[in-house]
Amino acid sequence: MNVIIVADHAFINGGQAKVAIESALGLAGRGHRVVFFAAVGPADPRLAAADIAVIVLGQTDVALTTSLASFGVQWLWNRPAALRLQALLSGYDPEDSVVHVHGWAKALSPSIGPVLKATRVPVVFTMHEYYLACPNGGFYDYPISAACHRTPLSPACIAYNCDSRSYARKLMRVGRHALMRGSGLVGSAATVITISRLQKTVLAPYLPKRTRYFEVSNPVDAEPLGRKADRPLGDIVFVGRVSPEKGANVFAEAARLAGQTAVFIGDGPQRAHLESDYPEARFLGWKNPAEVKALMRSARALVFPSVWYEGQPLTVLESLAAGTPVIVSDICAGREAVEDGVNGLWFASGKPDSLAAALMRLSDDAEARRMSDAAYDLFWADPLTLDRHLDGIEAVYRSSLAYARSPSTIRAIHA
């Protein structure tokens, strides 16, 4: 079939783009005719090498701009992107074509909503975040580093500054969200792929009742290296962006309470502050993927203390695949891969004392080795491979094509 993948970025700058690009390559490898449509380049060279048609608009990731005025023009309504996407979709037969949207909030904007609503080509959305429901994309209150429970666009939402920078920026987010609601973008998402059960729970109250949900896990880049056997157990580590929403400060305080050393692999806006307040902690900075895998493999455990509704943290899955148990906060979807007390531990989100108790439990070598074996065995009993991911994606595409052809769906479209 024809698959038109729509994303903000044509290169890997995070998990969302990585999944979009890897799935595009996999689908092309299975014989599908793939087009990759994105606002921001440069394009990953593997796309063209795989005979994937690449359309990159040469635009900017508006989240990186410093001017509020220039930030708003493209971010609120990216008309060039809408016109180019409309021209592209007009050339495809809805009988054997699918549009798969991975991202729109960082560059493409709500302007693509009317295009997706008008096209007869079935549209599929993968929910990497929550922008279809929440103005800041995460149901997250940045000033207090906690989950937000306000109803999007309610008076309480509009009046409160949840933004990481300024209230003016928050109001722009509110305006864009209102534009998005009126653009048809939400209505075009008749078929939604979630990457965890938590995502559906969070999103369902804000999406149309007719929305069809499918859960397809993201692929995990890992190799079956075997159990760790009797190798020495290393430190308990944090891997990722050192920032409040990731709970970096919670780990630093918990390690101090437990009398242990917090080890951070990564960097971010909170690093300097934590280095000053927690001089006993170790900060290794960013490492390349191979180095990160080696460090996770040698670790006693991974700590994933995220304080927001993170959809499916790949770091958790990569750690389990390496045979390293995970201590995870109970608010994020990482908990779905961790059986408390079996291949890792849950702790109360945002509570250093709760995390400290888990750290002390994993300081026991016998307990850590038992959970390490379980982590490895459970992951590789049913691994989240790229082929498994592609099987799930293809099944969603087939279902979407059949659904679009059904008489009841056609009547609803023309009503």
Side-chain angles (χ1 to χ4, degrees):
M1 68 183 77
N2 300 302
V3 180
I4 302 95
I5 291 180
V6 176
D8 283 321
H9 302 89
F11 62 95
I12 296 177
N13 67 334
Q16 181 181 116
K18 178 178 174 62
V19 172
I21 290 170
E22 296 294 344
S23 63
L25 294 169
L27 290 166
R30 290 188 173 195
H32 299 290
R33 297 171 297 277
V34 181
V35 177
F36 200 97
F37 179 93
V40 186
D44 190 310
R46 295 176 298 163
L47 295 170
D51 290 327
I52 293 172
V54 181
I55 299 172
V56 179
L57 304 180
Q59 295 178 322
T60 303
D61 180 337
V62 291
L64 301 179
T65 63
T66 55
S67 166
L68 197 61
S70 62
F71 174 84
V73 174
Q74 179 188 320
W75 185 73
L76 287 172
W77 200 261
N78 188 342
R79 188 169 182 269
L83 292 174
R84 188 66 183 87
L85 183 61
Q86 183 179 41
L88 173 66
L89 297 184
S90 66
Y92 285 92
D93 183 350
E95 293 294 315
D96 65 352
S97 305
V98 172
V99 181
H100 189 162
V101 181
H102 280 273
W104 59 271
K106 297 296 178 65
L108 291 172
S109 88
S111 69
I112 65 171
V115 178
L116 297 176
K117 187 177 181 181
T119 184
R120 293 177 59 232
V121 178
V123 179
V124 174
F125 275 73
T126 288
M127 295 292 112
H128 295 280
E129 16 64 0
Y130 302 98
Y131 278 111
L132 285 183
C134 170
N136 76 11
F139 289 97
Y140 183 70
D141 187 338
Y142 282 91
I144 65 169
S145 301
C148 176
H149 302 287
R150 297 172 183 84
T151 301
L153 292 199
S154 67
C157 168
I158 295 171
Y160 184 79
N161 178 26
C162 63
D163 195 82
S164 61
R165 299 189 189 181
S166 68
Y167 186 54
R169 192 181 176 104
K170 162 63 185 283
L171 291 178
M172 286 191 69
R173 290 187 182 279
V174 167
R176 185 180 73 153
H177 200 72
L179 281 172
M180 184 216 54
R181 283 188 176 182
S183 74
L185 192 60
V186 174
S188 69
T191 301
V192 165
I193 293 173
T194 57
I195 52 180
S196 64
R197 296 186 299 276
L198 172 67
Q199 275 196 315
K200 181 180 177 182
T201 300
V202 174
L203 282 167
Y206 305 102
L207 298 187
K209 294 187 182 301
R210 62 178 175 80
T211 302
R212 302 162 67 241
Y213 296 93
F214 298 83
E215 186 178 330
V216 180
S217 294
N218 286 333
V220 178
D221 181 16
E223 296 180 13
L225 301 176
R227 288 181 170 187
K228 291 185 181 180
D230 294 326
R231 67 174 60 197
L233 295 171
D235 297 305
I236 296 179
V237 302
F238 170 106
V239 176
R241 180 174 163 83
V242 182
S243 58
E245 70 273 14
K246 293 291 188 178
N249 57 311
V250 179
F251 176 40
E253 179 63 19
R256 174 175 286 178
L257 292 173
Q260 299 181 17
T261 300
V263 178
F264 292 88
I265 303 166
D267 210 334
Q270 217 177 12
R271 176 174 175 173
H273 174 72
L274 293 180
E275 283 182 314
S276 174
D277 286 359
Y278 299 91
E280 72 275 17
R282 292 168 52 209
F283 293 84
L284 306 184
W286 289 119
K287 301 293 181 181
N288 66 46
E291 290 172 323
V292 171
K293 287 181 181 180
L295 288 165
M296 282 201 293
R297 174 75 171 173
S298 64
R300 176 180 295 266
L302 172 82
V303 169
F304 197 85
S306 182
V307 295
W308 74 289
Y309 299 127
E310 198 144 354
Q312 188 197 36
L314 290 176
T315 305
V316 169
L317 300 169
E318 291 166 350
S319 179
L320 297 173
T324 299
V326 177
I327 304 172
V328 63
S329 72
D330 61 3
I331 197 173
C332 76
R335 70 189 187 194
E336 295 175 17
V338 176
E339 294 186 37
D340 191 27
V342 178
N343 59 345
L345 297 168
W346 290 14
F347 74 95
S349 175
K351 304 293 184 182
D353 55 342
S354 178
L355 176 52
L359 296 176
M360 288 187 282
R361 181 171 173 181
L362 265 296
S363 66
D364 179 84
D365 285 355
E367 186 79 335
R369 291 189 187 281
R370 178 183 67 80
M371 290 192 190
S372 171
D373 290 344
Y376 186 87
D377 293 346
L378 287 172
F379 180 89
W380 290 105
D382 189 16
L384 299 175
T385 61
L386 178 59
D387 276 334
R388 175 175 163 181
H389 172 78
L390 294 173
D391 289 344
I393 293 295
E394 287 177 325
V396 174
Y397 291 169
R398 290 192 295 270
S399 175
S400 296
L401 286 166
Y403 180 71
R405 297 186 192 112
S406 68
S408 60
T409 302
I410 293 171
R411 285 195 300 272
I413 290 173
H414 293 286

